[in-house]
Amino acid sequence: MNLMRLRQPMAALVLGGTAAFFGAMTTSAHAFSNPPIQMAQGVEYMCGGTSKDEAAFMQMVSPRWAATLEFGVNDSAQKSSFPARAAVQVRERYTGRPVMEAQSQGPYMLARLDPGAYDVNVTLGGLTLTQPLTVIAGAPARAVFMWPSNFDMASVLPPAPQTQALAHTSGVR
């Protein structure tokens, strides 16, 4: 029996199976793209968490950022409908000097703030919540902003696509 003839098909089978396995892994791994890193007043920040995969990514990388801000509604039924944008303002706690102003684009905002004491104001639908935030070098800081369950989320959510289509066609006769 010629062992060399048996090895070639076996090697092709093993290598082909390995390529298919790694091909499947890279396809699923690339289905999600990281949120972009942005700049506001010289401070790098990243927003996201609107999908399950993106939220898991934001939670995974948050320890590598100086500050994590999390936004939500104190009602589990409304948490999934958190609006895409809330106004975020970071000020030095003792001087009041503005450090960063940006719009969040999801329930998480990660920022590379310098070590220091800050007051963070987040405004959504006319209601501003304020939390203190102390950033220490090498230790990630976190502040959670929870709007009350009776907060009118409908007023700050974008209109449903169905409603937009009806509004757009209602003026045409």
Side-chain angles (χ1 to χ4, degrees):
M1 178 177 222
N2 188 350
L3 291 177
M4 289 305 279
R5 290 181 82 182
L6 269 175
R7 288 183 185 169
Q8 288 173 346
M10 186 69 88
L13 182 62
V14 169
L15 290 175
T18 304
F21 173 74
F22 284 113
M25 279 183 50
T26 56
T27 301
S28 64
H30 291 290
F32 164 74
S33 63
N34 298 347
I37 295 176
Q38 303 173 42
M39 290 283 272
Q41 295 80 41
V43 177
E44 286 184 328
Y45 71 96
M46 179 170 53
C47 298
T50 53
S51 71
K52 184 178 177 179
D53 290 339
E54 197 174 75
F57 172 78
M58 298 294 281
Q59 291 171 354
M60 179 185 72
V61 299
S62 68
R64 297 182 213 144
W65 289 73
T68 298
L69 308 177
E70 184 177 347
F71 316 116
V73 176
N74 201 11
D75 180 5
S76 61
Q78 292 183 353
K79 189 167 183 123
S80 63
S81 63
F82 191 81
R85 293 188 178 268
V88 178
Q89 182 184 60
V90 180
R91 294 182 166 276
E92 285 184 354
R93 184 174 303 150
Y94 303 111
T95 65
R97 181 182 72 82
V99 174
M100 179 181 132
E101 288 187 30
Q103 294 287 322
S104 75
Q105 298 166 358
Y108 294 97
M109 178 183 269
L110 309 179
R112 296 196 196 281
L113 295 170
D114 290 332
Y118 301 98
D119 283 326
V120 182
N121 301 315
V122 182
T123 303
L124 178 64
L127 180 60
T128 301
L129 300 179
T130 302
Q131 291 284 337
L133 182 71
T134 303
V135 176
I136 300 170
R142 181 181 181 91
V144 178
F145 298 82
M146 284 289 173
W147 279 263
S149 60
N150 64 349
F151 181 69
D152 182 17
M153 289 299 289
S155 67
V156 294
L157 288 173
Q162 200 173 37
T163 308
Q164 287 178 340
L166 290 174
H168 181 67
T169 59
S170 65
V172 179
R173 297 226 179 215

